Amino acid sequence: MNKTIRLTTAQALVQFIHQQYIEVDGIQTPFVEGVFNIFGHGNVLGIGQALEENPGNLHIYQGKNEQGMALSAVAFAKQSLRQKIYAVTSSVGPGSANLVTAAGTALANNIPVLLLPGDTFATRQPDPVLQQLEHNHSAAITTNDALKPVSRYWDRITRPEQIMSSLIRAFESLTNPETAGPATICISQDVAGEAFDYPEEFFIKRVHYLDRPKATKRSLEALTTAIKESKRPVILVGGGAKYSEAREELIYLSKTHHIPIVETQAGKSTVESTFPNNLGGLGVTGNLAANKIVKSADLVIGVGTRYTDFTTGSKGLFNYDTTTFANINISRAQAYKLDALQVVGDAKAVLGQLTETLVGYQTSYGEDIKKIKNEWLTERDRLKQIEFNRNNFTPEIAGHFSQDYLNKYADLFNSQLTQTNVLIAINELIDQESIIVGAAGSLPGDLQRVWESAIPNTYHLEYGYSCMGYEIAGALGTKLAKPEKESYAMVGDGSFLMLHTELVTALQYDKKINILLFDNSGYGCINNLQMSNGSGSFFTELINHETKEIMTIDYATVGQGYGLKTYKVTTKDELIFAIEDAKKQTVSTLIDIKVLPKTMTDGYDAWWHVGVAEESQNLTINKAYESKEINLKGAKQY
């Protein structure tokens, strides 16, 4: 007779996740590192009680905002190369609603995270309970239904025994590289406390194997032929290559066969920037070298990339008359992108196969790769040297910003710092093994272009969803994943205002993070988009509605109030001091950097398809629309 153990549904859940392991290349490690929580009436007496009674080796952290703590969990899994996760539990209602943005971020980036929101009563006897929604057409709908479209796996538990099959399915999804993303299990609050006689074998150690499927003979031969027939192939490194840990194979193939490497935001720092054949970021936020090389390429080999519009320049970056595509991807659906030759398999494994089939092959680039990279390094050095000149300063974004406009901000901030100058200085000042985190605004563009990652997996950008507010929560997540390294959140003032409360969690648990806050008093990236397409500056700057004056906020004082070590920076010398002093601190830090607007980098031969108004009384908008239509003619339509 099978032995059973009597547990509540929540206790069974906790005991199950204690026993989940993942094996990668023969090494087994626990898969669930811990649990982030904000307890409310939907989960405190269920999962809360179970964690208090038997936390095992799980690390338990009290979050400050459901979205924020879930984003920390997403960043942890991303920095851990999807080989470890955190679970996240919230109450029903606003708590679970706050998880939606973080779930979307995880789904867009294929990052595993286990979401455990509470739910209403399965019995429905107390309905409507506190925070319950009511729909006349269905009593079964709760706030948690909003998580369905942003979850890779979703289930609602209305009986204790349902947790068994549900958890097994959830962990299959979480540990599958092709389907990695958020798994949401909503537990009715009455059921969470109900007991059931669970079979003991449900709680045995389970190992989830991250296998490395190789390319089929057919697809490998086709890929090998395509490469050998090409003269100017380019390898496009995406996030899948980083998660697969394909660095050594990429370097070997690139060096042996003289193939240039370009990167997506997620793929950057898979191979260090100092590798001679690494030309850097591609696309709308890409640099001169990468965008130039793909225009002359006859074959683009996408490795673990989703080909987002920023990477492809809205599908307008490539010369489709002369360029073909081959995609190596664990996902068959992603391998089909851009009508490419499809090679389904693990990036590291497939690239390893290529090292054997491409023997003797050489590209025709000659000195072109070195020449193009040097051209970009010269341009990067020019950007490094740009400084504000009150009498003669040319903005980097567009020429229609007057000198008076910039002088006004210089007087307002008492600063003459430019964004590109500051970023490159920070790149040189912080330790090379430090992790930088970014997500939204103009910073991702500047970072992908000018940031040089000397150490692999130190560039952590969330750009699949470009989630404002990810940055500080993400820095906490990366710190939990790599506690021995300094973690820097690169955040604009707009993102800081949207979500920064997990900095309190960092303080609470002595997890030092560093916040580099770039303050230009507005949403500079969207302001650039708005004005460069013919509109005026309309509700994208922080302007007092009565005085019409630009607002100035003392973020250093805000951070000081939380308990951070803070710095105010308006000069290069102050920046150097702040960075160096922050390294010596044991408490989290915030450096409030006042930068002039319109001093970020511009695009380099890439176009972004946006919805410009087709009709307007504004002639500059009409011109922007005509330009959009011209660019659209050169873009692929599928």
Side-chain angles (χ1 to χ4, degrees), residues 2-18:
N2 292 335
K3 293 183 179 180
T4 61
I5 178 172
R6 191 164 181 81
L7 297 168
T8 68
T9 305
Q11 291 163 0
L13 163 73
V14 172
Q15 189 150 324
F16 179 88
I17 64 177
H18 285 162

Side-chain angles (χ1 to χ4, degrees), residues 222-264:
L223 177 60
T224 301
T225 299
I227 296 173
K228 286 186 173 180
E229 290 179 350
S230 69
K231 297 183 183 300
R232 295 176 70 88
V234 172
I235 298 174
L236 171 57
V237 179
K242 180 182 287 187
Y243 302 137
S244 181
E245 301 176 274
R247 171 185 174 272
E248 291 182 6
E249 288 76 11
L250 285 165
I251 289 176
Y252 176 85
L253 288 169
S254 176
K255 184 184 294 185
T256 302
H257 307 292
H258 200 48
I259 306 174
I261 288 173
V262 296
E263 308 164 311
T264 69

Side-chain angles (χ1 to χ4, degrees), residues 176-463:
N176 184 340
E178 183 178 359
T179 61
T184 300
I185 299 180
C186 322
I187 305 178
S188 300
Q189 56 184 284
D190 51 343
V191 176
E194 289 182 19
F196 183 77
D197 294 318
Y198 291 93
E200 284 189 344
E201 60 265 28
F202 179 61
F203 303 108
I204 63 172
K205 178 181 176 180
R206 275 185 170 79
V207 181
H208 306 273
Y209 295 92
L210 201 159
D211 295 321
R212 296 189 181 278
K214 294 184 176 182
T216 63
K217 181 181 179 181
R218 172 196 55 78
S219 63
L220 181 63
E221 288 177 351
L223 177 60
T224 301
T225 299
I227 296 173
K228 286 186 173 180
E229 290 179 350
S230 69
K231 297 183 183 300
R232 295 176 70 88
V234 172
I235 298 174
L236 171 57
V237 179
K242 180 182 287 187
Y243 302 137
S244 181
E245 301 176 274
R247 171 185 174 272
E248 291 182 6
E249 288 76 11
L250 285 165
I251 289 176
Y252 176 85
L253 288 169
S254 176
K255 184 184 294 185
T256 302
H257 307 292
H258 200 48
I259 306 174
I261 288 173
V262 296
E263 308 164 311
T264 69
Q265 286 278 17
K268 188 176 174 75
S269 82
T270 302
V271 174
E272 53 270 35
S273 304
T274 50
F275 176 60
N277 286 355
N278 186 354
L279 300 183
L282 180 71
V284 178
T285 55
N287 67 33
L288 179 66
N291 289 349
K292 187 174 183 178
I293 203 79
V294 299
K295 290 181 182 297
S296 67
D298 54 11
L299 176 66
V300 174
I301 308 165
V303 184
T305 178
R306 298 188 302 124
Y307 287 107
T308 66
D309 66 336
F310 261 63
T311 296
T312 67
S314 298
K315 299 181 183 176
L317 192 60
F318 310 108
N319 186 340
Y320 296 102
D321 292 331
T322 57
T323 305
T324 58
F325 298 83
N327 293 335
I328 301 169
N329 207 296
I330 196 70
S331 166
R332 189 167 182 261
Q334 296 297 340
Y336 265 70
K337 295 283 184 72
L338 291 182
D339 209 13
L341 165 66
Q342 307 113 37
V343 183
V344 179
D346 173 77
K348 184 180 180 72
V350 175
L351 293 173
Q353 290 176 283
L354 281 176
T355 62
E356 300 175 1
T357 63
L358 289 179
V359 175
Y361 169 73
Q362 280 289 303
T363 69
S364 63
Y365 282 107
E367 293 295 308
D368 286 357
I369 299 174
K370 181 178 180 180
K371 179 182 176 182
I372 289 172
K373 183 159 186 172
N374 285 338
E375 286 177 2
W376 166 246
L377 292 177
T378 299
E379 168 66 2
R380 183 181 182 275
D381 188 62
R382 183 187 72 83
L383 294 171
K384 175 183 175 180
Q385 304 302 324
I386 293 175
E387 295 183 355
F388 176 77
N389 183 323
R390 180 174 292 279
N391 298 316
N392 184 24
F393 180 76
T394 302
E396 290 302 296
I397 290 297
H400 56 259
F401 299 103
S402 69
Q403 186 72 47
D404 289 341
Y405 175 91
L406 292 165
N407 288 346
K408 178 180 71 172
Y409 271 93
D411 293 338
L412 187 70
F413 290 158
N414 190 29
S415 172
Q416 297 185 3
L417 293 175
T418 64
Q419 185 162 298
T420 51
N421 188 290
V422 168
L423 268 179
I424 296 174
I426 293 171
N427 198 176
E428 295 173 350
L429 288 167
I430 68 173
D431 296 334
Q432 290 185 337
E433 65 270 15
S434 302
I435 298 169
I436 64 160
V437 181
S442 61
L443 286 169
D446 285 348
L447 287 167
Q448 192 181 15
R449 292 184 187 111
V450 306
W451 193 269
E452 294 191 342
S453 300
I455 306 294
N457 202 22
T458 54
Y459 182 89
H460 183 115
L461 260 284
E462 186 293 292
Y463 215 57

